[in-house]
């Protein structure tokens, strides 16, 4: 039977206090980065007010149900990808995205951040919207897009961005054909490819005097054909709602447009009954700030983490005496029965077999699997290789790849080597994946990589009869360590969209409960798919 976990962790120790301070500093840095994007957008407020418009974040706040949960996604998208200076990089990818409630319905909400570069599409912004479209499709979430975009920045044109951009429109067609509503509020311009945003939506709301949608704006039209036309004639809101039929609803301003969007969602009939309340953990979530060391080589008992996530801190551990460095346990989060897989050390032969068995058991029960990553990878060495580590690790990867239940990954600490794969990293398409601020992702640790290259280099020089120069050797070592450490950092990997966001460890239970509710709603919801998406009439 499940038992209430007895913690051995001392949150008042000097070590715990030091860990808490280090992680709190990372959280402060995370919030500062997120605020940097909001502040950059807010600097456009005078122009928006002059035009009688709301800022993008004001639109999102007005759309969402007051006081209801909101899960922001990919807030660090594009960090250090726009510019390399950490003090000047503006994260977010030029858009706001997340899952929230609109008229009582759980929805995917995306808003162009037109306060930054007029909403021009950024490379990582494109990757961000493709990711949230995939989440909406997997979880059967109505897709609401608040559009105001200057389109692609032609001064930074990249042909691959143009080609891959077509996937955005393909995904809209896939959502609609699957029976998932696609609702667009056209707050401003949608030019060229951007015009297909409303064109591929099921319902379009336009704002009088502000909405624009055309394949070629007046400058391009004149350059291409010599024809002269006004923006309203080519693609204004009144023309599209009365003549072309591109828009269904005409709003006087942003506020009325948002109100119409809420009315459209309210008429979907997609409201789900509220879940009953469940007991929280008996152990404080605040301890999660001090459990994990910034030096990820320091051991941590991941049962301590699990016990601070599950209802009543009750866990049923699976094969507790076998493959002990790999932890498998059952519990409940917000009433949802789940299975946990985590690591107290490298994944050895017994651990890989144990995890494979457990994954199959969870699939038979229909219980979602939560991976709490804290692994240096699969065990290496003569005994491990002779024991069949490759084939047993491959069995685990087979099970992760083909699991039939939702899988959610939290990168708590190290995510190194093939352990990233076997513990359902991004490449294995978990339903959701979030990182703690101190998590690190790499093929191996920086020092291990540097030492490996040092051994290889010295061996190559020895074959040539050359004695290695200690100063050069150390310089190479330091350079490799610095390169690996920079790329392993959670903020850097999140900027590349290798996760769905960096979260406060104390919020992990709430985030998991929200995601599990989302998965459960998706499973319970009946869609009415079409052979193709809803076509504009």
């Amino acid at each position: 039977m499940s038992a209430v976990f007895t913690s051995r962790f001392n949150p008042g120790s000097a070590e715990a206090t030091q860990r808490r301070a280090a992680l709190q500093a990372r959280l402060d840095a995370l919030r500062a980065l997120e605020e940097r994007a909001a502040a950059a957008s807010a600097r456009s407020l005078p122009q928006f007010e002059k035009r009688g418009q709301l800022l993008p974040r004001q639109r999102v706040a007005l759309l969402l149900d007051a006081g209801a949960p909101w899960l922001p996604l990919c807030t660090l998208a594009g960090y250090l990808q726009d510019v390399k200076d950490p003090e000047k990089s503006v994260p977010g990818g030029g858009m706001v995205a997340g899952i929230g409630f609109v008229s009582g319905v759980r929805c995917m909400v995306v808003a162009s951040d037109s306060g930054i570069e007029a909403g021009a599409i950024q490379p990582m912004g494109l990757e961000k919207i493709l990711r949230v479209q995939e989440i909406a499709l997997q979880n059967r979430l109505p897709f609401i897009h608040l559009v105001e975009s200057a389109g692609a920045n032609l001064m930074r044109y990249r042909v691959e961005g143009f080609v891959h951009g077509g996937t955005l429109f393909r995904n809209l067609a896939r959502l609609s054909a699957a029976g998932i509503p696609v609702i667009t509020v056209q707050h401003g311009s949608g030019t060229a490819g951007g015009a297909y945003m409303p064109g591929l939506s099921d319902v379009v709301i336009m704002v009088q005097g502000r909405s624009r949608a055309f394949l070629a704006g007046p400058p391009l039209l004149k350059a291409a054909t010599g024809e002269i036309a006004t923006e309203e004639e080519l693609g204004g809101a009144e023309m599209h709602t009365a003549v072309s039929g591109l828009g269904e609803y005409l709003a006087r301003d942003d506020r009325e447009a948002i109100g119409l969007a809420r009315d459209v969602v309210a008429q979907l009939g997609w409201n789900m009954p509220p879940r009953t309340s469940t007991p929280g953990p008996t152990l404080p979530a605040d301890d999660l700030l001090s459990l994990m060391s910034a030096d990820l080589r320091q051991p941590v008992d991941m049962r301590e983490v699990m016990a601070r996530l599950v209802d009543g801190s009750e866990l049923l551990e699976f094969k507790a005496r076998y493959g002990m460095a790999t932890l498998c346990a059952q519990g409940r989060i917000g009433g949802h029965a789940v299975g946990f897989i985590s690591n107290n050390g490298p994944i050895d032969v017994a651990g890989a077999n144990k995890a494979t068995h457990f994954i199959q058991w969870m699939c038979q029960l229909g219980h979602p699997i939560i991976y709490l990553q804290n692994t240096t990878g699969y065990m290496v060495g003569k005994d491990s290789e002779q024991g069949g580590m490759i084939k047993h690790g491959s069995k685990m990867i087979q099970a992760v790849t083909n699991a039939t239940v939702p899988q959610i990954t939290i990168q708590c600490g190290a995510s190194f080597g093939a352990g990233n794969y076997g513990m359902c990293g991004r490449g294995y398409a978990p339903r959701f994946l979030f990182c703690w601020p101190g998590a690190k992702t790499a093929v191996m640790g920086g020092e291990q990589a540097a030492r490996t290259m040092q051994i290889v280099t010295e061996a190559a020089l020895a074959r040539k009869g050359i004695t290695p120069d200690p100063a050069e050797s150390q310089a190479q070592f330091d350079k490799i360590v610095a390169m690996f450490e920079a790329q392993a950092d959670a903020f850097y990997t999140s900027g590349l969209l290798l996760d769905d966001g960096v979260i406060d460890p104390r919020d992990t239970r709430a985030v998991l409960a929200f995601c599990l509710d989302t998965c459960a709603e998706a499973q319970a919801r009946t869609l009415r798919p079409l052979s193709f998406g809803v076509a504009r009439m």
Side-chain angles (χ1 to χ4, degrees), residues 76 84 94 180 190 201 302 429 456 517 519:
L76 295 188
K84 298 302 180 185
I180 298 170
S201 300
M302 294 301 289
V456 170
D517 284 345
C519 295

Side-chain angles (χ1 to χ4, degrees), residues 5-315:
F5 181 79
T6 302
S7 177
R8 294 181 178 143
F9 177 67
N10 177 12
S13 68
E15 183 180 52
T17 302
Q18 184 181 24
R19 290 177 177 180
R20 180 188 304 274
L23 191 48
Q24 187 61 59
R26 291 286 287 174
L27 284 172
D28 292 343
L30 170 64
R31 299 303 174 225
L33 286 172
E34 292 173 334
E35 178 55 33
R36 184 185 297 174
S41 183
R43 285 195 285 272
S44 299
L45 181 60
Q47 297 97 299
F48 275 72
E49 288 182 334
K50 186 177 179 180
R51 299 193 299 253
Q53 289 185 292
L54 298 172
L55 283 169
R57 284 168 177 76
Q58 292 174 321
R59 295 168 184 167
V60 171
L62 200 60
L63 177 68
L64 297 169
D65 295 350
W70 163 250
L71 180 63
L73 296 169
C74 309
T75 60
L76 295 188
Y79 177 59
L80 296 180
Q81 303 307 305
D82 51 349
V83 295
K84 298 302 180 185
D85 187 347
E87 300 303 317
K88 295 180 180 178
S89 180
V90 178
M95 64 180 60
V96 179
I99 303 172
F101 290 86
V102 178
S103 298
V105 180
R106 193 185 302 262
C107 299
M108 178 64 74
V109 176
V110 179
S112 312
D113 196 342
S114 46
I116 300 175
E117 296 184 356
I121 298 173
Q122 302 177 22
M124 293 311 298
L126 173 60
E127 296 300 322
K128 178 172 177 173
I129 194 169
L130 295 181
R131 172 58 185 155
V132 300
Q133 285 179 325
E134 171 120 17
I135 291 173
L137 187 61
Q138 280 187 315
N139 295 284
R140 303 181 176 185
L141 298 170
F143 189 83
I144 305 175
H145 197 176
L146 311 182
V147 177
E148 183 174 34
S149 172
N153 187 331
L154 296 181
M155 298 299 292
R156 295 200 296 265
Y157 169 75
R158 292 289 184 272
V159 68
E160 64 270 23
F162 156 67
V163 173
H164 293 311
T167 309
L168 187 160
F169 309 122
R170 173 177 178 267
N171 286 345
L172 294 175
R174 292 172 66 209
L175 284 161
S176 182
I180 298 170
V182 178
I183 301 164
T184 288
V185 181
Q186 192 79 29
H187 290 279
S189 293
T191 307
Y196 287 104
M197 278 302 312
L200 287 160
S201 300
D202 301 329
V203 172
V204 176
I205 300 160
M206 292 191 156
V207 180
Q208 191 173 31
R210 297 305 318 168
S211 297
R212 299 284 186 269
F214 28 58
L215 295 179
L220 179 56
L221 180 67
K222 184 177 180 181
T225 70
E227 184 179 355
I228 297 175
T230 66
E231 287 192 340
E232 179 58 41
E233 289 172 326
L234 278 176
E238 294 193 44
M239 186 281 286
H240 278 311
T241 53
V243 179
S244 78
L246 181 67
E248 279 67 57
Y249 301 96
L250 180 65
R252 288 167 294 183
D253 55 25
D254 281 351
R255 289 183 180 275
E256 185 177 16
I258 294 297
L260 284 168
R262 287 181 55 81
D263 289 343
V264 169
V265 175
Q267 293 298 322
L268 296 178
W270 279 34
N271 302 65
M272 300 294 284
R275 296 191 61 81
T276 57
S277 60
T278 56
T282 61
L283 296 168
D286 199 56
D287 290 349
L288 296 174
L289 288 182
S290 48
L291 275 168
M292 194 74 63
S293 172
D295 178 3
L296 297 181
R297 291 172 294 192
Q298 296 297 318
V300 57
D301 185 355
M302 294 301 289
R303 297 177 187 86
E304 298 279 2
V305 175
M306 295 178 189
R308 287 161 176 81
L309 303 179
V310 295
D311 299 353
S313 294
E314 293 185 356
L315 291 170

